[in-house]
Every structure is written in C-alpha cells, then in structure tokens.
Amino acid sequence: MASGAYVATPLGRARASALEGKTVIVVGAGVSGLGAARSLANQGATVIVVEGRDRLGGRLYTDWSLGAPFEDGAGWVHGPSDDNPAKRLTDAVGAEYVVTDNDNLVVFGPDGYELDEDRQSEVDDTWYDLIERIDENLELSDTRSLIDAIRYFDSSAAADPGVLWAFSAYTEFSKGGPIENLSAVYFNRDGVFPGDDVVVTTGYDKLLGPLSEGLDIRLSTKVTGITYGGDGVTVTTDKGPVTGDFVICSVPLGVLKKNVIAFDPPLPASYQKSIDKVGFGSVTKLALKFEEPFWDTDVQYFGMMTEPKGRWNYWLNYRTFCDENILLGLSVGAHSPVVDQMTDEEMKADGLAVLRNVWEDDVGEPIAMRATHWYVDPLSYGAYAFPTPGSYPSDYDGLAQPVENRLVLCGEHTIFEYAGTIHGAYLSGLRAAEMVIEEAE
Ligand SMILES: Cc1cc2nc3c(=O)[nH]c(=O)nc-3n(C[C@H](O)[C@H](O)[C@H](O)COP(=O)(O)OP(=O)(O)OC[C@H]3O[C@@H](n4cnc5c(N)ncnc54)[C@H](O)[C@@H]3O)c2cc1C
C-alpha cells in the first residue's frame, strides 16, 4: 500500500503550498512522531526526524529472541475494529492476529490454590459493581483517588485481597498507574473502539515500515534543547543543531517531567502544570521460556494474588497462540517501578518465586528470558500516561495546542480520549501535523 494512504486529509493545493519550502523537525520516531512526519512529508513539507534510540518505534518494539514475538511495549491492538487506526496500520502490512480471551482465566489465591468458580465470580462482580457505583455517584469535579473511592463505597472490598487483585491486574495494568494515585472519576472515561483485543503474531512493530519509508530519520541523536520563536526553530542535539520552521516534539511524558529537554522560551506555565499533574506510571513485562510447560496450556491467562499488590499478578500463556513454552508476567501499579530497578536476574528470581507459589517444584529453570525496564529507560521514564486525582482531560489535550506558532507537542499523553495506546499516539501525531499546517497557512 502506498504511504499516502495514511494521510488523514486529502492533499489540497493550498495545503501543499503552505508547506512548500518549509522544514519541520520531529523529535522522536515513535508512532506519534512518525505519524506526524509521514503526514507532513506526504503533504509537501521537508521533514527531519531526530530520534535518541538506535531504532524506530519508541514504545512499540517487537523482540524475536525467544522464537515468538515479545512486545517490549504495546502488545495488543485494543478494539481492533475497522475504525481503529492502529488496526488499519497493522492490516496494511498484512498482520496476522489472535484474539485474546479475557474470560479464559484461572486465578490463584495467596495460598497458591485456584479460586473456585463462586469466589472468582464474587471478585469479578465486586470489581465491576464498584466501578459502576463510582461512575454513577461521583461528580467529575471529585478529586478522590480510586482507592479512596473504593473505601468510601465498600470498605470491606477495599480490604479484600481478591478485589484488590482485580483492581490491580485489570485496572492498574490498563491505566498504567497505581490505584492510590489514579483519579476515581477519570480513570475509565477514555474512548474505546469495539472488538475483542488481539495480539499481532507477525509482530506489532511491522507497522513502522510504511510510516517511516523514505523519511530523513537521524537515529542515535539525543535532543537536549528546543529554541522556538519568530524566526523559526533550532533543535539542539548531541550531534549538533538542526534548524527548521516548525518543531513537533513527541517525547514521552516521563521525559518532559524530567526536564531532559530545555525549552527556550520555557513552556507556558499551564503546560508545565499539566506535565506535572498528569501521571506517568510503569508496567513491567517478564517473559520466561521453559523447555516444557508445567501449566495448563489451554488457559490463556493466569491471575496470581501476590504481595505486594501488583507483583507479577497476571500472566499470559503463549501456548494459546504459538508453540513456544513462554509465560509472560506483568508487574503493575506501585510495584512496577520496584521491579524495573532490579537486574534481569533479580527480576527472573522474583517472577519464578510467584510461579513456584502455585506450581512448586514443577517450575524448572527458564531456558531464556526477556525483561523490560521502562521506568528507568532514559528515553521514556515510564510506560504510559494516567489521570491522577485532580487532573482533567484538558491537561492532556491542552498540551497539544501550538506554542508561539512554532512548537507542537504530540504523543499518547496529549490525547485523553485514547491515551496509553498505539491508536492514540498515531492520532495525536496526525493532529500535530494538522496544527503545523494551520500555522503555516
Ligand atoms: C509496557 C507497555 C505496554 C503497552 N501496551 C499497549 C497495548 O497493549 N496496546 C496499545 O495500544 N498501547 C500499549 N502501550 C502504549 C503504547 O506503546 C504507547 O502509547 C505508544 O507507543 C506511544 O507512542 P509515542 O509516539 O507517543 O511515544 P514513544 O513511542 O515513546 O515515542 C517517543 C520517541 O521519542 C524518543 N525520545 C525520547 N527522548 C528523546 C530525546 N531527548 N531525544 C530524541 N528522542 C527522544 C524515544 O526514544 C521514542 O522513540 C504500552 C506501552 C508500554 C510501555
């Protein structure tokens, strides 16, 4: 498929002439940055993409070292309907999918024994019921955390290890932040596309090919400063300055929070306030590959009620979609930053301890592993944005407004409706490209 198929709006003469002779610098070659770059290049701009890593994709990267796709970052196409732009991007590269079934789940209690069906239903129903009560009863101006709201509506549920497990394994995973620091009123107000989630068995990051084809992309080039104003923009990098007419900055919220890039002039106070307010958590993935399976290979997910909350509490069984004996564990919430700071060996031991609580001596030594450390990754400093108590959707989308007619931010953290997703990142990139065109016209 021609790259032009990705352009959100038709190429009009006025737009082409607005961009003619203009140079746009895009900082970051993740899905949002590449989406913006592709769109602008297709509409006639000269585009230079500057990327700190030695590869494309940012938080979208498929590793094949285990013999099956291990997605360091995004793993699922959420809501893979035809309206979902991420699905359109993967379809365009001939991706193959497997639907994952959230109900194909077995949960083990703190003692390592499987929950019976009644207890499992009780846990799920209480989790669901609490979310409904919070949604129906709290005003959007409420600044409570999710855990405070749970305590308010059902104090016994807040002390139930099963219910806490469900809020961690389901909610902390999907939102990327701990329930102690998630907004009770905004944690589930984002938009979704219909359809059961799928994994891409041919590798999610293949979608980067058409997005990046033919672009001037400068890898292994870290940006330390962005100067913007009347005359244009200068992007300072460790390989020297790059100048242009406009700059789109797609670095993750974690990077903005750490002030890695010096903006001159500084970002407006309202932007800085939103950068501080919106949360940026972590999610850790640990894949352990074994010679032989010791688990029921027909079960797609295993839940583990672990201590502390968030510790390897949800595992995906690769045998449900490929021949490799791989279990992929997730640490989420407040525990993810803890394990992200471990060495791979320490992380492996921590994950194995959780598996041995259930399968005891049947758990052999893994023959291979892969682990992620997003929290300490200096080009991300976390996994994805989440709403903290007292933050608002406008804190996300306000960040996407052009500054001084020269600078536009994009990335999953700038689009509340689809934050924390590939489709959100992509749409934010297309929107940034549109804003540059408007400024150029
Ligand atoms: C563990 C995990 C699981 C996820 N699961 C899913 C999922 O299942 N489904 C889903 O849809 N989404 C998921 N996501 C979210 C999805 O991956 C992100 O929303 C999306 O990839 C973000 O794209 P982006 O362009 O906004 O940011 P990024 O992909 O992070 O791109 C930003 C780029 O900026 C670069 N950069 C940073 N600092 C500098 C600098 N100083 N100089 C130059 N370059 C710099 C980075 O290297 C990076 O390439 C997950 C993310 C993680 C981490």
Side-chain angles (χ1 to χ4, degrees):
M1 172 178 278
S3 319
Y6 294 105
V7 178
T9 51
L11 177 64
R13 259 165 217 253
R15 327 202 84 212
S17 66
L19 288 171
E20 209 172 293
K22 303 285 186 211
T23 298
V24 184
I25 304 166
V26 176
V27 180
V31 170
S32 67
L34 289 177
R38 171 87 279 144
S39 174
L40 287 166
N42 285 356
Q43 295 183 79
T46 299
V47 180
I48 301 169
V49 183
V50 189
E51 166 57 49
R53 295 180 204 272
D54 60 3
R55 62 162 179 82
L56 304 177
R59 284 169 277 168
L60 178 65
Y61 177 70
T62 314
D63 172 82
W64 289 91
S65 63
L66 301 180
F70 174 87
E71 304 289 354
D72 275 6
W76 281 264
V77 180
H78 295 302
S81 69
D82 290 342
D83 295 337
N84 182 333
K87 172 71 165 25
R88 292 208 295 270
L89 293 172
T90 49
D91 280 351
V93 291
E96 289 169 22
Y97 310 97
V98 169
V99 176
T100 49
D101 177 3
N102 295 338
D103 295 329
N104 184 357
L105 164 74
V106 169
V107 181
F108 298 91
D111 56 6
Y113 287 97
E114 190 177 328
L115 300 195
D116 64 34
E117 250 177 59
D118 287 350
R119 173 70 175 137
Q120 177 64 53
S121 304
E122 182 192 39
V123 163
D124 283 349
D125 292 350
T126 311
W127 170 76
Y128 191 80
D129 178 57
L130 268 166
I131 289 179
E132 273 200 333
R133 286 164 73 186
I134 291 168
D135 270 2
E136 282 165 15
N137 292 294
L138 293 190
E139 301 285 337
L140 286 178
S141 55
D142 199 293
T143 56
R144 246 174 286 209
S145 69
L146 183 52
I147 187 68
D148 283 344
I150 298 168
R151 285 193 191 111
Y152 176 76
F153 286 107
D154 187 344
S155 58
S156 64
D160 179 335
V163 176
L164 288 177
W165 169 82
F167 271 99
S168 181
Y170 304 154
T171 310
E172 290 186 334
F173 175 33
S174 72
K175 297 322 295 173
I179 53 176
E180 294 77 11
N181 200 21
L182 271 176
S183 159
V185 287
Y186 283 112
F187 81 93
N188 66 340
R189 301 234 174 224
D190 42 353
V192 287
F193 290 104
D196 291 334
D197 295 350
V198 295
V199 289
V200 186
T201 53
T202 41
Y204 209 158
D205 71 358
K206 294 235 165 44
L207 68 80
L208 299 168
L211 279 186
S212 58
E213 198 184 325
L215 293 178
D216 176 355
I217 301 177
R218 305 183 185 174
L219 294 177
S220 304
T221 305
K222 292 192 182 67
V223 171
T224 53
I226 294 178
T227 303
Y228 57 101
D231 296 339
V233 301
T234 302
V235 171
T236 309
T237 81
D238 59 356
K239 304 261 168 74
V242 186
T243 56
D245 298 289
F246 301 96
V247 58
I248 293 177
C249 181
S250 78
V251 300
L253 181 61
V255 173
L256 293 175
K257 279 181 183 287
K258 295 267 189 193
N259 295 313
V260 172
I261 296 176
F263 290 92
D264 181 15
L267 290 173
S270 64
Y271 286 58
Q272 198 53 55
K273 211 169 149 197
S274 295
I275 288 167
D276 294 341
K277 266 167 82 180
V278 175
F280 201 63
S282 197
V283 166
T284 316
K285 292 183 173 180
L286 169 68
L288 299 175
K289 177 171 167 170
F290 298 89
E291 199 85 59
E292 295 292 336
F294 48 82
W295 59 92
D296 181 344
T297 51
D298 293 330
V299 174
Q300 188 133 56
Y301 291 106
F302 296 106
M304 313 276 186
M305 289 187 192
T306 46
E307 284 282 337
K309 177 170 63 61
R311 175 182 174 222
W312 311 120
N313 62 13
Y314 205 56
W315 295 76
L316 172 65
N317 167 18
Y318 268 52
R319 283 296 302 270
T320 51
F321 55 86
C322 76
D323 292 335
E324 301 294 344
N325 298 315
I326 296 171
L327 288 177
L328 166 62
L330 294 155
S331 271
V332 296
H335 196 64
S336 171
V338 175
V339 293
D340 270 2
Q341 293 176 75
M342 292 179 176
T343 63
D344 278 9
E345 280 305 306
E346 288 168 341
M347 210 194 271
K348 179 172 82 174
D350 200 44
L352 283 174
V354 167
L355 295 179
R356 290 195 173 121
N357 188 45
V358 172
W359 288 289
E360 303 179 340
D361 294 343
D362 291 345
V363 180
E365 262 307 296
I367 53 173
M369 68 170 288
R370 185 165 175 92
T372 65
H373 301 266
W374 290 105
Y375 184 74
V376 290
D377 180 328
L379 293 162
S380 195
Y381 288 118
Y384 34 98
F386 67 85
T388 56
S391 67
Y392 293 94
S394 56
D395 284 310
Y396 292 66
D397 291 274
L399 287 174
Q401 293 307 310
V403 190
E404 303 268 336
N405 313 103
R406 294 284 174 186
L407 163 68
V408 182
L409 305 186
C410 71
E412 56 86 17
H413 55 286
T414 65
I415 182 161
F416 176 81
E417 192 171 11
Y418 300 119
T421 65
I422 291 297
H423 48 272
Y426 182 61
L427 290 172
S428 80
L430 296 184
R431 181 179 60 184
E434 288 298 303
M435 290 192 174
V436 164
I437 293 168
E438 273 170 32
E439 297 303 331
E441 276 169 356

